[in-house]
Amino acid sequence: MTDRLEAQFAFLKEADHLKSVLRASRLIDDSRFENSAEHSWHVMLYALVLADQAEPTVDINRVLKMLLLHDIVEIDAGDAPIHGNVDYAAKAAEEEAAAERLFGLLPDDLSHEFKDLWRDFEAGESAESRFAKSIDRIPTPITNLEIGGGSWVDYNVTLDQIDARVGTPINTGTPGIWSWLRPKLATWFARNAG
Amino acid sequence: MTDRLEAQFAFLKEADHLKSVLRASRLIDDSRFENSAEHSWHVMLYALVLADQAEPTVDINRVLKMLLLHDIVEIDAGDAPIHGNVDYAAKAAEEEAAAERLFGLLPDDLSHEFKDLWRDFEAGESAESRFAKSIDRIPTPITNLEIGGGSWVDYNVTLDQIDARVGTPINTGTPGIWSWLRPKLATWFARNAG
């Protein structure tokens, strides 16, 4: 019992460091960059509020657990900005090693459960994963529209890039939201094109 | 449909401000104070990892939703430090008004669902609420033990105060954790008593 609790708390203490992983996205008042822990909270709230946009078979409780865990690997592997120049194969190997080390701090039953949830999310093949990956992409454009572009300006992003890197996952998991969001993005980029 | 999405996103944008509500607790590397959004993420992780400590009837999925929403009222009402001097009746009235305004941004079905979850958490009477309120109290002592006292030093806290304000809720929802944690706290306070 005590050994089990020690392992559970070793993981929970290590997980605290996700609060110090900074993303390319910002707060909606543009006061600072966002960290991956508060982002994880926000995307869970997005998932619960927008659950009516998911395919009917989606288990929202599994989605919330996926999103709770989805970025923990960044404690070791860092955040990969969606519009940055990233070696995706190298990043995937780093994240797999991070999942082994971090979830490996837990007792075996929890370690397996969490790795399964994280790998399901990463694979993007289950209905829950498609919805979770769509939700994960929505907050940054919503915020960027409010703050004059945010990371779009920092990374010189074009509407074509948005369609490919943001539109594809959003349209896959929540097409109703992409239909609503795409015209707002088109208007913004038409007004702000270099 | 569009009106519904507009209401959903109005709430999600307003909720972003929880990332700017600072608590009296700190990160585990003692680099800064913690905000209520990243705290909310962390307590959800605590709940999922420590679910085996809950009463057998507890619905962990409802607990996760409660903890996702439990601090959103702080956007209007602010955080009330557990060892601070707080007028609890006035704070409760402020939080009730905050719940009406903030959850009131949502479509009616979600507004009712979220207010019900938040009021269930606040009341502390259901098995889920007892577990959630216990979990909400655990991370700060875990962190303070790592960083030389943290908010205990700032607020001149005694072990008697810890027993009353932290021990009571933890022991109510997760007695197995309190039995494990209490001796560690007693040792720390014996070594560091003024």
Side-chain angles (χ1 to χ4, degrees):
Chain A
M1 175 57 145
T2 294
D3 283 355
R4 183 173 170 88
L5 279 176
E6 295 288 348
Q8 287 163 309
F9 280 103
F11 172 77
L12 290 167
K13 286 190 276 190
E14 189 71 16
D16 199 277
H17 297 291
L18 194 60
K19 300 168 189 169
S20 300
V21 175
L22 290 186
R23 294 163 45 82
S25 53
R26 302 173 190 202
L27 302 201
I28 208 155
D29 64 3
D30 207 11
S31 56
R32 61 170 172 82
F33 289 104
E34 182 181 42
N35 72 62
S36 291
E38 63 198 0
H39 157 76
S40 295
W41 167 77
H42 209 181
V43 290
M44 290 189 282
L45 192 65
Y46 266 73
L48 189 60
V49 166
L50 299 169
D52 59 342
Q53 295 285 334
E55 298 169 44
T57 62
V58 165
D59 173 359
I60 188 69
N61 294 314
R62 186 168 172 85
V63 170
L64 292 177
K65 289 177 188 170
M66 278 183 178
L67 289 171
L68 178 57
L69 304 176
H70 82 295
D71 274 345
I72 287 177
V73 294
E74 294 181 0
I75 291 169
D76 285 1
D79 179 55
I82 188 171
H83 300 297
N85 240 332
V86 175
D87 176 341
Y88 288 101
K91 179 59 71 182
E94 277 176 46
E95 290 186 345
E96 184 62 35
E100 286 295 336
R101 186 187 81 78
L102 291 159
F103 298 135
L105 295 170
L106 287 162
D108 282 350
D109 58 323
L110 288 168
S111 177
H112 291 138
E113 180 188 346
F114 286 19
K115 283 185 217 170
D116 282 352
L117 281 161
W118 177 72
R119 290 190 180 123
D120 184 358
F121 173 81
E122 284 296 307
E125 289 169 3
S126 67
E128 283 75 20
S129 167
R130 284 193 297 274
F131 181 62
K133 281 186 169 281
S134 167
I135 288 292
D136 191 31
R137 292 296 179 224
I138 299 171
T140 301
I142 294 293
T143 297
N144 282 354
L145 285 170
E146 296 284 322
I147 62 173
S151 56
W152 297 333
V153 176
D154 297 339
Y155 288 85
N156 254 318
V157 176
T158 65
L159 185 58
D160 283 350
Q161 287 173 323
I162 294 285
D163 281 338
R165 299 180 189 180
V166 178
T168 302
I170 296 180
N171 199 37
T172 300
T174 54
I177 292 175
W178 186 240
S179 300
W180 172 86
L181 181 60
R182 178 65 172 62
K184 298 179 198 288
L185 301 178
T187 301
W188 191 90
F189 280 91
R191 284 187 188 147
N192 295 277
Chain B
M1 175 57 144
T2 294
D3 284 355
R4 182 173 172 87
L5 279 176
E6 295 287 350
Q8 286 163 309
F9 281 103
F11 172 77
L12 290 167
K13 286 191 276 191
E14 188 71 16
D16 199 277
H17 296 292
L18 194 61
K19 299 168 189 169
S20 301
V21 175
L22 289 186
R23 294 165 45 83
S25 53
R26 302 171 189 202
L27 300 201
I28 207 154
D29 64 3
D30 206 11
S31 57
R32 62 171 172 82
F33 290 105
E34 183 182 43
N35 72 61
S36 291
E38 63 198 0
H39 157 77
S40 296
W41 165 79
H42 208 181
V43 291
M44 292 174 72
L45 193 65
Y46 266 73
L48 188 60
V49 167
L50 298 169
D52 59 342
Q53 296 285 335
E55 298 170 44
T57 62
V58 165
D59 173 359
I60 189 68
N61 293 314
R62 185 168 172 86
V63 169
L64 292 176
K65 289 178 188 169
M66 278 183 178
L67 289 170
L68 177 58
L69 304 176
H70 81 294
D71 273 345
I72 288 177
V73 294
E74 293 181 0
I75 291 169
D76 285 1
D79 179 55
I82 188 172
H83 301 295
N85 240 332
V86 175
D87 176 341
Y88 287 101
K91 180 58 71 180
E94 276 176 47
E95 290 186 347
E96 184 61 38
E100 285 295 336
R101 186 187 80 79
L102 290 158
F103 298 135
L105 295 169
L106 287 161
D108 283 350
D109 57 325
L110 289 168
S111 177
H112 291 138
E113 180 188 346
F114 286 19
K115 284 185 214 167
D116 283 351
L117 282 161
W118 177 73
R119 289 188 181 126
D120 184 358
F121 173 81
E122 284 295 308
E125 289 169 3
S126 67
E128 283 75 19
S129 168
R130 284 193 298 273
F131 181 63
K133 281 186 168 282
S134 167
I135 289 292
D136 191 31
R137 292 297 178 222
I138 299 172
T140 300
I142 294 293
T143 297
N144 283 353
L145 285 171
E146 297 284 321
I147 63 172
S151 56
W152 296 332
V153 176
D154 298 340
Y155 287 87
N156 254 318
V157 175
T158 65
L159 185 58
D160 282 351
Q161 287 173 325
I162 294 285
D163 281 337
R165 299 179 190 180
V166 178
T168 302
I170 296 180
N171 198 38
T172 300
T174 54
I177 292 176
W178 185 240
S179 302
W180 172 85
L181 182 60
R182 177 64 171 64
K184 297 178 197 290
L185 301 178
T187 301
W188 191 91
F189 279 92
R191 284 187 187 146
N192 296 277

